[in-house]
Amino acid sequence: MPHDRSHGYEAVAEHYMAVRSDVGRDVVADWAQRLAEGGAVLDVGAGSGEPTVPILQYADLKVFALDASPAMVDALKTRFPNIPVACEAAEDSSFFDRQFDGVMAIGLVFLLTEAKQRDLLRRLADVLEPVGSLLFSAPYQACTWTDVLTGEPSTSLGAQTYRSILAHHGMKVIQTYTDEGGNHYFEAEKQAA
């Protein structure tokens, strides 16, 4: 049986889409409003596109989306037929072979092992335009837990480690957020060379 590149989310896709809430919507909306109008944004781990894609579109951004769950990608394509969508795992995605003004990875980074998190953050920094912006979610504290929907392990490397990884790849955390559900976010900007 092939390895599940969606980290368990393909098996629970229908349930996940049914229970996905708008928690975090304001964080994404605030971030999107600070990006240049008409800029290109990549939503990594976009799921079915709700609620993030409409927020990005409302901010007049050109949205690209990817997710490793075929069921969620099918739902995303149905809901948003006019945006480029790829069914790829973030760990080995081509990221549409282009650069972006913004990259967002909500609910994804901590699903990966430490080595894969480090590599993904490097790769996301690489696809950002100069002074591009990255928004991702992960707990501030270093911790491990079991994902309630999938039963798969999750790991946060903690704020200090995330800051260090990003700095090593030319990124600086410029702001952190906590949404109404207690989820934590890091906003990092690519530093001009």
Side-chain angles (χ1 to χ4, degrees), residues 21-27 177-185:
S21 73
D22 282 351
V23 170
R25 175 183 198 82
D26 291 342
V27 172
Y177 308 89
T178 302
D179 69 22
E180 65 274 25
N183 303 297
H184 304 291
Y185 302 78

Side-chain angles (χ1 to χ4, degrees), residues 34 40-43 51 82 95 98 100 113 115 125 141 144 155 167 176 178-180 183 185:
R34 287 191 298 281
V41 175
L42 176 62
D43 188 348
N82 297 321
F95 301 130
R98 59 162 296 155
F100 296 92
T113 64
Q141 68 278 20
T144 60
T155 302
T176 59
T178 302
D179 69 22
E180 65 274 25
N183 303 297
Y185 302 78

Side-chain angles (χ1 to χ4, degrees), residues 12-150:
V12 299
E14 292 301 321
H15 178 67
Y16 174 80
M17 289 186 280
V19 300
R20 177 67 170 100
S21 73
D22 282 351
V23 170
R25 175 183 198 82
D26 291 342
V27 172
V28 174
D30 289 347
W31 174 75
Q33 290 300 321
R34 287 191 298 281
L35 298 174
E37 189 175 306
V41 175
L42 176 62
D43 188 348
V44 182
S48 66
E50 296 289 349
T52 54
V53 171
I55 295 168
L56 299 173
Q57 289 177 323
Y58 183 77
D60 200 23
L61 298 166
K62 182 170 175 49
V63 182
F64 294 72
L66 69 91
D67 198 276
S69 163
M72 289 206 234
V73 166
D74 287 346
L76 198 157
K77 286 179 176 178
T78 298
R79 291 179 174 140
F80 308 101
N82 297 321
I83 69 168
V85 177
C87 187
E88 298 174 344
E91 303 94 302
D92 51 24
S93 174
S94 68
F95 301 130
F96 298 93
D97 295 314
R98 59 162 296 155
Q99 301 291 110
F100 296 92
D101 301 293
V103 174
M104 185 175 67
I106 306 301
L108 170 71
V109 173
F110 51 77
L111 299 176
L112 309 177
T113 64
E114 179 175 350
K116 288 184 178 181
Q117 287 187 48
R118 288 176 179 276
D119 188 57
L120 178 62
L121 291 172
R122 174 192 60 79
R123 294 178 66 238
L124 295 179
D126 287 347
V127 299
L128 279 172
E129 294 282 2
V131 198
S133 181
L134 169 66
L135 179 70
F136 72 97
S137 62
Y140 289 153
Q141 68 278 20
C143 58
T144 60
W145 69 98
T146 301
D147 185 284
V148 295
L149 288 177
T150 67

